Amino acid sequence: MEIFFIRLLQFILAISLLVLLHEGGHMFFSKLFGVRVEKFFIFFDVGIGKWTGKLFSFRRRGDDTEYGMGWLPLGGYCKISGMIDESFDTEQMKKPAQPWEFRTKPAWQRLLIMIGGVLVNFVLALFIYSMVLFHWGETYIPVKDMSMGMKFNAQAKALGFQDHDVLIGTDKGAFREFNVDVYRDLSEAQRADIIRNGKPMSINLPGDINLLDMLKATPGFMRPFIPAEVDSVLPKSPAALAGIRKGDKILALGNTPVDSWNAYQDEVSKLADAMTDAKTPADSLRLRTSTVTFLRNGKDTIKVAMVLTPELMMGTIMTNLATYYKPVTIHYGFFESFPAGARYGVNVLAGYVGDMKYVFTADGAKSLGGFVALGSLFPATWDWHVFWLMTAFFSIILAFMNILPIPALDGGHVLFLCYEMITGRKPSETFLIRAEYVGFSILILLLLLANLNDILRLLGYL
């Protein structure tokens, strides 16, 4: 439960900050051009009965804007006078236009007002990435230095890869660090460059591997090979009671040999699937009871009986990449961090945009996630480094999603404004209202789908 609240707090803090600044971008340009902002709210103040839905609100002296916070944490809004938006205030649009209203301003001013939020979110993401690089630097393990290579699944081996192949790059370029960009490059590449048994060689690839299948595969398409060596043992855990110690190397779980932590986790995953069919405590105990074979001091093979925890944990802390490879850290000066942060942010955006094509597939729709999925991206312990990286990532997503040409989003308003600027004719208010209803309905359906996927995952149906 503590982990849940830590993740929830990080998620709410990040989203609140991004919504505040996004709506602040709209308000900045509105006030710059003399457009009245009637309400500026974090979260939605949806009323229930006689309750207005406001947690609090206030007005500053001499300011026409009501500032406040609603109870429904689905975003926020900046209600601009004389504009058809999610408030659906059609009564205001029936009145004579006033000089302080959005609809009376030149199209170029209205365009800047509408892209203000997206602009702030994108610039904010680049700024955060820059400050993260300035403060923490950039630490990674070069893929080419992973001398034990990768552990590949059956799909990868069918393409020609073998366990322990060291990835160097593709015809698209050399790999730097092991992240999702490696998967993206391999999915589109015609050739993969590797080192096998100390010799450079290449593998021909089809150029159209489904990235979503690669990322969702179990076992994973490829993972850095990590020997099943014990880093440490938790006190009073099944491993401790069985006599397993730091430095021991796991050789088998039950009758299945394991050559790495990758293979060990695959076996535990199979056990977890079998546990879903356990109907009684006795069934569960039987599945959790196993023998573990391990090697001590590189020469003594020992086999012990063990009952894994209900979570199928043995109680050993695994070694990791940093155990075997020396990370590289790049430090940036204050002014150097800005172009580096901009490159980092643009690369993140390009990757996200490129992956959008998978959303329009059946598997892509199933992969959509709601608040639970987004919140789970934050770490289980408070880590400012990861928090700011995730906040910058969400800021880029928010900017991109809002600029999509869907009515009810900023991009929908931008689309209609561009039409007006090109043709010299405004779309009718009736059309804009209907488009807003359609766009809002689409957003609600997407929101319901994403959060339904979260529920189905929690129930084990996805």
Side-chain angles (χ1 to χ4, degrees):
M1 186 58 71
E2 179 184 356
I3 291 175
F4 170 78
F5 282 112
I6 289 174
R7 283 178 166 155
L8 178 65
L9 184 59
Q10 292 179 87
F11 177 67
I12 290 176
L13 180 58
I15 293 300
S16 298
L17 175 64
L18 297 181
V19 169
L20 175 68
L21 294 175
H22 177 91
E23 301 301 336
H26 292 308
M27 186 168 71
F28 170 78
F29 284 105
S30 296
K31 291 188 176 282
L32 179 66
F33 299 132
V35 176
R36 181 177 295 173
V37 177
E38 298 176 16
K39 296 178 72 172
F40 183 87
F41 265 63
I42 300 297
F43 305 153
F44 293 119
D45 57 332
V46 179
I48 302 176
K50 295 183 179 180
W51 184 47
T52 62
K54 302 173 186 177
L55 297 181
F56 68 85
S57 67
F58 63 92
R59 291 181 184 272
R60 297 187 304 175
R61 182 176 298 177
D63 191 342
D64 296 316
T65 306
E66 178 188 7
Y67 301 88
M69 176 178 284
W71 68 273
L72 188 61
L74 298 181
Y77 69 99
C78 175
K79 189 175 187 308
I80 299 171
S81 292
M83 175 184 166
I84 298 171
D85 59 11
E86 61 269 24
S87 67
F88 298 107
D89 187 1
T90 56
E91 293 302 316
Q92 183 186 66
M93 304 303 292
K94 295 176 182 178
K95 300 176 183 178
Q98 301 297 325
W100 63 78
E101 289 187 333
F102 176 84
R103 54 180 164 169
T104 63
K105 300 300 177 179
W108 68 270
Q109 292 185 2
R110 286 181 278 136
L111 181 63
L112 285 174
I113 291 171
M114 292 318 306
I115 66 172
V118 168
L119 182 62
V120 166
N121 280 133
F122 185 66
V123 172
L124 174 67
L126 300 187
F127 177 75
I128 292 175
Y129 282 133
S130 299
M131 292 301 95
V132 165
L133 293 177
F134 171 65
H135 187 272
W136 283 284
E138 192 174 12
T139 300
Y140 65 96
I141 296 172
V143 178
K144 63 181 178 61
D145 291 349
M146 296 181 185
S147 55
M148 290 183 288
M150 298 285 160
K151 181 79 172 176
F152 296 93
N153 70 2
Q155 178 192 4
K157 289 177 179 177
L159 293 169
F161 291 103
Q162 295 181 12
D163 288 342
H164 299 291
D165 284 348
V166 179
L167 297 176
I168 301 300
T170 68
D171 52 295
K172 299 173 68 65
F175 295 137
R176 195 183 76 148
E177 60 182 304
F178 184 73
N179 56 23
V180 71
D181 288 337
V182 174
Y183 288 88
R184 289 191 183 109
D185 282 2
L186 286 174
S187 71
E188 300 174 353
Q190 302 288 335
R191 185 194 78 242
D193 299 322
I194 63 169
I195 294 177
R196 179 178 294 168
N197 299 323
K199 298 179 180 179
M201 61 177 295
S202 296
I203 296 173
N204 293 325
L205 296 176
D208 60 351
I209 305 173
N210 187 290
L211 176 62
L212 199 59
D213 288 345
M214 294 173 73
L215 296 174
K216 290 177 61 178
T218 304
F221 183 88
M222 60 182 173
R223 295 157 291 169
F225 187 96
I226 301 177
E229 295 176 348
V230 177
D231 180 78
S232 57
V233 179
L234 298 176
K236 299 181 180 179
S237 65
L241 297 174
I244 294 178
R245 303 198 301 244
K246 176 182 174 65
D248 291 343
K249 184 176 182 180
I250 308 300
L251 299 178
L253 180 62
N255 296 320
T256 305
V258 294
D259 61 353
S260 59
W261 284 124
N262 316 85
Y264 176 85
Q265 290 171 325
D266 292 342
E267 289 307 307
V268 171
S269 177
K270 293 177 184 177
L271 270 179
D273 290 340
M275 286 282 286
T276 60
D277 296 326
K279 294 181 173 55
T280 66
D283 292 337
S284 173
L285 181 62
R286 176 178 52 81
L287 289 168
R288 292 189 288 116
T289 302
S290 184
T291 57
V292 175
T293 306
F294 60 92
L295 185 69
R296 176 164 292 166
N297 300 323
K299 58 181 181 179
D300 298 323
T301 300
I302 303 170
K303 181 180 289 189
V304 295
M306 185 182 300
V307 179
L308 303 179
T309 68
E311 296 78 28
L312 302 180
M313 304 295 290
M314 185 166 57
T316 54
I317 304 300
M318 304 176 184
T319 51
N320 54 47
L321 287 177
T323 306
Y324 306 101
Y325 308 116
K326 184 178 180 180
V328 172
T329 300
I330 302 175
H331 298 284
Y332 295 91
F334 181 74
F335 293 106
E336 292 176 318
S337 67
F338 288 100
R343 287 193 299 271
Y344 192 104
V346 170
N347 182 61
V348 170
L349 177 62
Y352 184 76
V353 173
D355 296 343
M356 281 297 293
K357 61 186 177 183
Y358 294 102
V359 173
F360 303 102
T361 65
D363 286 339
K366 293 178 183 178
S367 70
L368 289 175
F371 299 119
V372 173
L374 293 175
S376 66
L377 294 176
F378 288 94
T381 57
W382 197 283
D383 185 323
W384 282 111
H385 185 196
V386 178
F387 170 81
W388 286 117
L389 285 175
M390 290 308 307
T391 301
F393 178 62
F394 284 168
S395 193
I396 279 185
I397 291 177
L398 187 60
F400 175 73
M401 295 301 292
N402 263 282
I403 206 61
L404 291 176
I406 300 174
L409 291 178
D410 296 342
H413 295 285
V414 169
L415 177 66
F416 297 140
L417 280 167
C418 289
Y419 168 81
E420 178 185 340
M421 295 172 74
I422 293 171
T423 65
R425 299 191 304 272
K426 282 187 179 182
S428 70
E429 291 182 2
T430 300
F431 171 81
L432 292 176
I433 291 171
R434 289 175 179 173
E436 194 76 12
Y437 275 113
V438 170
F440 197 74
S441 299
I442 292 172
L443 296 180
I444 292 296
L445 288 173
L446 287 174
L447 188 64
L448 290 173
L449 173 62
N451 285 281
L452 177 62
N453 284 347
D454 282 349
I455 295 171
L456 293 176
R457 288 190 195 98
L458 290 173
L459 295 176
Y461 291 105
L462 274 184

